Amino acid sequence: MTAWTDSPGGRRARAILTSRPFLTLAIVVAVWIAASIASRGFGAYGHLRYLVELGAVIGLVAAGQTFVVIAGGIDLSVAAIVTISLPLLSWQADPTGLASVLAVLALTTAIGVVNGLGVALLRVHPMIMTLAMATFLQGLLIIIAGGSAVTAENPLVHWLGNARPAGIPAGILLWIAVSVLVLTLMHATPFGARIFAMGANPLAASLSGVPITSTTLAVYGISGFTAGLAGVLVLGMNGQGYVGIGDPYLLASIAAVVLGGTSILGGLGTYAGTIPGAILLVTITALITVVNASPGWRSILFGSLILGLLLLSGREQARR
């Protein structure tokens, strides 16, 4: 047994079993089992499928957030980007609704690129730049929507929010496809290697030939794209949108990232941990609902999770 654990295969297995993504997944499974025992119906397939479907929205927003955080930044505009995409989806350029969806995704990607320009070229701190963008978008949304609700009249948006191909919600299938692309881009391409290098040590990465400016534009552009994609899914699932509908996803996206083991200081992490982190967050929310706790407790719990994991991430970074 000792010989096996000291072998390359044993060391890899031990590394996987002790990794934050695996531990987060184990917590999800443990919470699901405990909640299923304590509350009848919680463990039903339909309910667990619904939780994963809700997790897909957080997971999509957190996909771009993971890129940004690994690269050493943070995106506080994702909630506003989710919300600003909703009224724009009412534009009907073709019967399928595809044109309006593509136009919205192009716009949200461009918003992310503007964030990147502010960070990379103007040297504005990511927190300040993205917070200013969020404030601008919130004001623009009030002017555009005037506080009125937006309904999902787009056929493609409606399909994404309600279709069940082979019994699986389209939103989950969309999340799976995005997850595969994100993990491939993050861990199997030169771009992925560049964002890890930039997050770990920007100066050393620059001296090694990493194009800091274009990489920064790319990660913030990806964040804008995935937030816009989440906005499409939110509108489809809810049937309508309103001012502030994206607000819960800012804190949730950051919590999912740090729950999955990505260092908030940059240079270390993986989207493979963000995925169970997103599911854990919606599971916690569901449990709070089951016990009839107030929404304030959810905010307290999420805030406590982030503070605790920030401290843990800082200690892990100090050991490197």
Side-chain angles (χ1 to χ4, degrees), residues 35-59:
S36 299
I37 295 173
S39 176
R40 182 180 300 177
F42 190 95
Y45 169 73
H47 184 250
L48 296 181
R49 183 184 63 185
Y50 176 66
L51 291 181
V52 176
E53 189 176 8
L54 293 178
V57 180
I58 297 176

Side-chain angles (χ1 to χ4, degrees), residues 110-257:
I111 292 171
V113 171
V114 172
N115 281 332
L117 286 171
V119 172
L121 298 183
L122 301 180
R123 308 296 182 187
V124 181
H125 192 280
M127 185 176 294
I128 302 301
M129 180 65 207
T130 57
L131 182 60
M133 178 61 75
T135 304
F136 172 81
L137 292 177
Q138 288 167 353
L140 183 62
L141 180 65
I142 293 173
I143 294 174
I144 294 175
S148 59
V150 177
T151 57
E153 298 177 354
N154 185 300
L156 179 57
V157 173
H158 184 269
W159 183 87
L160 285 172
N162 298 277
R164 300 285 188 273
I168 303 174
I172 295 179
L173 296 177
L174 175 64
W175 189 22
I176 292 172
V178 170
S179 297
V180 171
L181 291 174
V182 167
L183 288 170
T184 301
L185 187 61
M186 188 174 289
H187 299 291
T189 66
F191 173 74
R194 289 198 295 268
I195 67 169
F196 281 100
M198 189 173 76
N201 192 322
L203 179 59
S206 179
L207 294 175
S208 299
V210 173
I212 300 297
T213 299
S214 61
T215 304
T216 301
L217 297 183
V219 295
Y220 281 97
I222 291 172
S223 184
F225 176 84
T226 58
L229 200 58
V232 172
L233 188 56
V234 166
L235 182 58
M237 290 172 60
N238 288 278
Q240 64 176 5
Y242 51 86
V243 175
I245 194 173
D247 291 352
Y249 300 111
L250 171 57
L251 187 60
S253 69
I254 298 172
V257 169

Side-chain angles (χ1 to χ4, degrees), residues 1 20 52 59 61 137 195 258 284 289 299 307 309 319-320:
M1 184 69 176
R20 184 79 71 79
V52 176
V61 181
L137 292 177
I195 67 169
V258 295
I284 292 172
T289 303
S299 297
L307 287 174
L309 291 168
R319 295 193 195 107
R320 294 173 59 195

